[in-house]
Amino acid sequence: MYMLLSLRIHERMMSNSFDLAIFEQVVRSYAHGRLPVSEVKGPDFPVLGDHFSPILATIAPLYWLWPTVKTLLVVQAALVAVSVIPLAVWVRRTLGLTAALVIGAAYGLSWGVASAVGFDFHEVAFAAPFLACSLAALGQERLRAAAWWAMPLLLVKEDLGLAVCIIGLLIARRGERRIGLITAGIGLVASVLTVLVILPAFSPTGGYGHWSGLESATAEGSGLGSLLFRGTIGVITPMEKASTLLLSLAPTLFLALRSPLILVAVPTFAWRFVSYYMANWGVSYHYSLVVMTIVFAAFIDALVRRRPGMGSLRRYLAGAAAVALLLLPQFPLWKLVQPATWQSDPRIGAARDVMRLIPDGATVQASTFLVPQLADRTRVSLFGWGDSRPNPQWILVDTLVEQNRRWPLSFFQERDALDAARARGYSTVTNHFGFVLLRRS
C-alpha cells in the first residue's frame, strides 16, 4: 500500500523538489562515490552541512541497480512497513494474536504514517524500524538489544541523538545501569558534536543553518521573554500545536501517557513546537512518523503493564481501531480508494514529451513538481528559487499549474521571470499544454 501510494503520487507528478529531488541527488552522490551534494539546495550544496543523515549511503547499492528517484520511494515504503513487525510481534507474545493484528493495523494505517509515506521521501523513514525494534526490546526487558537497536538512530538525523539519550536513561532505570548510562551519554554527545562541530564544518555558512528556526530574539519582545514564552505556553499555542499533540495521542486512547516510553517522543515534540517554522506544528508531511512509532510502542507497553482483562482489552483494541479508521479518510492513504488517483491526465503525457527534449546531464531549472521527474538524469534545480544554479542550459515551467501548487513564485512573478529569461537570451523551444521549455542561446 505504501509503495503504491508513493509511486502513484510520483507518476501523477505531484511529488516535490523539496524534498524528493534533494534526497535523490544525495543518494546519487553516494552511489557515485562522492560526499552528498544537492543541486536543488544550491550549486554543489554539501548536504552534510544541512542535516546529518549518512545512513542514506546504504541506499546506494540499490541505486546502482535501479538509478531512479523511484528507488527511494520503494525503500521508504519497505522501511515503514518493516517497522510494524517488531511492534506486532511484541503484542503477539504478550497480548495474543488478535491484539497483534489490531494494533499492527492501527499503527500501519495511522495518520502519522500515512502523512509520511504520502509526502515524498525523507530520512526519518530509517528511524521508524530502528525505534520500533529498540522500544520493543526495551518493553520486553531485552535491555542490551534495546541499546544496540538505538545506536543506528545517530546516523539518521542529528536530533535523534536526544531520543537515544532518553532510551539510555530508560534502560538504566530498568536495571542495566552501566549500559543505559553509556547509551545516554553516547546519544547526548553525538547530538552535540553533530550540531556544533560536524554540520558547521560542512555548512557553507560555517554554522548550523536550522538554528534560525529556533531563534527568538527578533520575534516577540526581548530574546529572553520570547524564549520563556515559547518554552512554556508557546509549546502548545497556537492551537495547531495542541491539535497535533492530541491527534498524536488519540490513536492510543491516550493510554500511551501511562508508559515511560512516551518520554522518547519529548525531544521531537520539543523542537517541532519551539520552531517558528509553522509546517513543523501540524499533521502534514513527515514530521509525525517518529512520534507515531514511539506513541504506539508506549501504548503497547502501557497495555502490557496494566494486564487488562479480556473485556477491557477488547475495548482498548476497538477504540484504537475506531480512531485509526475515523482519521483514515483525512490523510493520504485514502487516496488509494479514490478514482481520481487512478485516472490519467493528458497533461502528464505532454510534460513527459517536453522533458524528453532535455538531454541527459544538462543543467536545468524547472517548476517544483517537474524537478523530481528530471532529478535522476539531469542537474536540476528549482525555477524561481534564489539559491538555484544561475543561467542553466534549460528552463522548464508549468505555466498552467493550479494556484495552490505554485511555489516559490506566484503566477505574475513566474511570468515576469520567464520574460526576464528571454531578455537574457533564452529562446522558446516549445509551449506544449502550458509547459514552456526555454533553451539558453
Side-chain angles (χ1 to χ4, degrees):
M1 287 174 62
Y2 302 154
M3 185 176 66
L4 281 175
L5 176 64
S6 294
L7 292 178
R8 188 56 186 163
I9 288 172
H10 181 67
E11 288 293 327
R12 295 179 67 207
M13 295 190 178
M14 299 181 73
S15 48
N16 300 265
S17 57
F18 283 69
D19 293 307
L20 182 55
I22 291 174
F23 284 113
E24 191 282 336
Q25 292 170 340
V26 168
V27 172
R28 178 152 46 117
S29 298
Y30 282 125
H32 292 169
R34 303 192 304 264
L35 288 176
V37 297
S38 172
E39 193 80 359
V40 174
K41 293 286 291 184
D44 297 319
F45 183 92
V47 177
L48 285 177
D50 183 42
H51 285 302
F52 186 72
S53 305
I55 200 166
L56 293 171
T58 61
I59 306 177
L62 297 175
Y63 194 88
W64 296 337
L65 300 174
W66 195 25
T68 168
V69 69
K70 296 177 184 178
T71 299
L72 280 68
L73 299 176
V74 174
V75 167
Q76 175 171 264
L79 288 169
V80 177
V82 164
S83 73
V84 179
I85 297 173
L87 298 180
V89 169
W90 177 17
V91 180
R92 186 189 66 185
R93 289 173 177 168
T94 53
L95 299 174
L97 179 60
T98 300
L101 293 173
V102 172
I103 293 177
Y107 166 65
L109 298 173
S110 63
W111 67 265
V113 170
S115 294
V117 298
F119 180 64
D120 299 341
F121 169 93
H122 294 88
E123 73 284 279
V124 293
F126 281 94
F130 289 126
L131 274 170
C133 288
S134 180
L135 296 179
L138 182 55
Q140 296 171 82
E141 302 296 331
R142 295 185 291 112
L143 304 182
R144 290 177 179 266
W148 282 113
W149 279 115
M151 287 297 109
L153 293 170
L154 303 176
L155 305 178
V156 176
K157 202 173 179 184
E158 61 273 10
D159 64 289
L160 289 172
L162 298 178
V164 173
C165 180
I166 294 178
I167 290 173
L169 294 176
L170 293 174
I171 291 172
R173 183 187 176 198
R174 295 200 176 193
E176 286 281 4
R177 184 176 179 83
R178 181 172 175 271
I179 292 176
L181 293 179
I182 290 174
T183 302
I186 291 173
L188 181 60
V189 170
S191 277
V192 171
L193 284 177
T194 302
V195 171
L196 298 183
V197 179
I198 298 176
L199 289 169
F202 284 97
S203 173
T205 64
Y208 180 47
H210 295 276
W211 283 129
S212 60
L214 303 176
E215 289 173 351
S216 57
T218 61
E220 304 166 18
S222 68
L224 179 60
S226 176
L227 183 61
L228 290 173
F229 174 81
R230 290 193 297 119
T232 53
I233 298 174
V235 171
I236 57 171
T237 57
M239 281 302 295
E240 188 175 4
K241 298 177 184 178
S243 297
T244 297
L245 189 60
L246 291 174
L247 277 176
S248 298
L249 297 169
T252 71
L253 310 179
F254 298 91
L255 198 63
L257 291 172
R258 300 192 178 187
S259 166
L261 298 188
I262 196 65
L263 295 173
V264 182
V266 169
T268 299
F269 277 126
W271 74 255
R272 287 178 61 187
F273 290 170
V274 173
S275 171
Y276 272 124
Y277 183 44
M278 290 186 291
N280 288 332
W281 306 345
V283 297
S284 302
Y285 311 118
H286 58 290
Y287 299 111
S288 294
L289 175 59
V290 167
V291 167
M292 203 56 56
T293 306
I294 298 168
V295 163
F296 268 88
F299 178 43
I300 298 166
D301 186 55
L303 284 175
V304 172
R305 286 165 172 265
R306 288 172 66 87
R307 292 290 179 182
M310 187 58 66
S312 296
L313 179 59
R314 286 174 178 169
R315 287 193 291 272
Y316 286 129
L317 296 178
V323 172
L325 293 175
L326 285 171
L327 294 176
L328 189 60
Q330 309 301 318
F331 293 93
L333 282 175
W334 193 250
K335 293 179 181 178
L336 289 173
V337 298
Q338 293 179 314
T341 301
W342 307 102
Q343 293 172 355
S344 298
D345 183 346
R347 294 194 74 238
I348 293 176
R352 299 197 188 284
D353 290 340
V354 174
M355 285 188 286
R356 277 192 283 268
L357 299 175
I358 301 174
D360 293 352
T363 57
V364 188
Q365 283 188 16
S367 298
T368 185
F369 292 98
L370 299 174
V371 169
Q373 310 295 326
L374 292 162
D376 51 23
R377 68 177 189 87
T378 68
R379 300 176 65 189
V380 65
S381 55
L382 178 61
F383 181 71
W385 184 252
D387 293 328
S388 291
R389 182 179 293 276
N391 302 315
Q393 295 167 303
W394 300 81
I395 294 175
L396 176 59
V397 177
D398 181 1
T399 61
L400 299 182
V401 69
E402 298 91 335
Q403 184 60 39
N404 62 347
R405 297 177 67 202
R406 288 186 177 276
W407 183 79
L409 301 180
S410 67
F411 172 82
F412 296 105
Q413 290 172 328
E414 181 182 274
R415 183 188 61 186
D416 293 342
L418 285 173
D419 289 341
R422 293 187 181 98
R424 295 196 309 271
Y426 283 84
S427 58
T428 302
V429 175
T430 186
N431 184 349
H432 186 47
F433 275 77
F435 295 100
V436 175
L437 180 62
L438 306 182
R439 180 174 57 195
R440 191 178 63 200
S441 301

